[in-house]
Amino acid sequence: MKKLWIVLLSVALIMAFAMPVCAADVKFSGSYVIQGYYDNNRSLGKDSYAGPSLMNTWQRLRMQADFKVQEGLSLTVQADIMDKIWGAPRNSSTYAPANYSNIYYLSNSGEAENIHFNQVYVSANLAGGLFRVGYQRQGQFGTAFGDYGDYAYGPRVRYDYSIGPWTLIALYDKSEA
């Protein structure tokens, strides 16, 4: 009987904590990209043999879900699904053949063939501004000025405060490099 009461109490506590989140608005968005190339005549000469043809095709399904818990508080989750090169063998090493660039070859690891979470962060309206905490896109500030050439995903704390046409940004990026 004691075990039954513990189970019932546990279920009641889970329901009590989950009830406010059950009423959340959820908005899904995403994109599916298939990209590739076919290279037949690499020397661009007439009637010349340039070796075997090269062909690569890769894909990425990116899904994003925005959970609005209440006005001014939301959770954003973004994931890449089945990000891989078509027909390439699974490989988790950093070796890349000559006809593959490293970024596409590394995206064919066993982890990338499943689900890879890029961004998971909480947004909250606090003290007159927008406060975002979690794994986000790093190296970008909103304009091209001051952005890094490449971006990465990592831990970030960002606070945006608008004053008329100006926006003050305070942020902290934790670099994983």
Side-chain angles (χ1 to χ4, degrees):
M1 190 66 172
K2 183 178 178 182
K3 289 181 184 179
L4 177 66
W5 283 110
I6 291 174
V7 169
L8 287 176
L9 182 62
S10 299
V11 169
L13 284 174
I14 290 170
M15 291 297 290
F17 288 125
M19 281 301 197
V21 180
C22 289
D25 276 340
V26 180
K27 181 174 72 171
F28 290 98
S29 61
S31 64
Y32 181 61
V33 176
I34 298 176
Q35 192 174 17
Y37 65 87
Y38 179 75
D39 188 0
N40 185 18
N41 186 356
R42 301 192 77 186
S43 67
L44 299 176
K46 184 178 179 184
D47 299 331
S48 64
Y49 179 71
S53 300
L54 294 176
M55 179 180 165
N56 278 322
T57 305
W58 51 93
Q59 72 179 14
R60 182 190 72 206
L61 172 62
R62 177 168 282 174
M63 296 291 296
Q64 181 166 329
D66 296 316
F67 299 94
K68 184 177 177 183
V69 178
Q70 65 182 20
E71 193 64 37
L73 181 62
S74 64
L75 172 71
T76 301
V77 178
Q78 183 188 72
D80 287 343
I81 303 166
M82 295 296 292
D83 185 10
K84 65 177 286 182
I85 299 171
W86 289 4
R90 289 180 73 163
N91 190 352
S92 60
S93 72
T94 58
Y95 168 74
N99 60 344
Y100 287 113
S101 65
N102 280 335
I103 189 167
Y104 294 117
Y105 195 71
L106 291 176
S107 71
N108 206 37
S109 67
E111 174 186 318
E113 289 184 8
N114 293 305
I115 298 175
H116 176 72
F117 288 93
N118 295 329
Q119 299 187 68
V120 178
Y121 62 90
V122 174
S123 300
N125 291 333
L126 296 173
L130 180 63
F131 197 61
R132 289 180 276 193
V133 178
Y135 266 69
Q136 304 170 52
R137 183 181 256 183
Q138 293 180 338
Q140 292 188 338
F141 302 98
T143 63
F145 176 75
D147 288 353
Y148 302 130
D150 293 330
Y151 62 87
Y153 296 101
R156 172 181 258 194
V157 178
R158 179 175 175 158
Y159 181 73
D160 297 349
Y161 185 77
S162 296
I163 303 172
W166 300 94
T167 301
L168 301 175
I169 299 172
L171 63 88
Y172 170 75
D173 284 343
K174 178 165 179 10
S175 176
E176 295 185 358

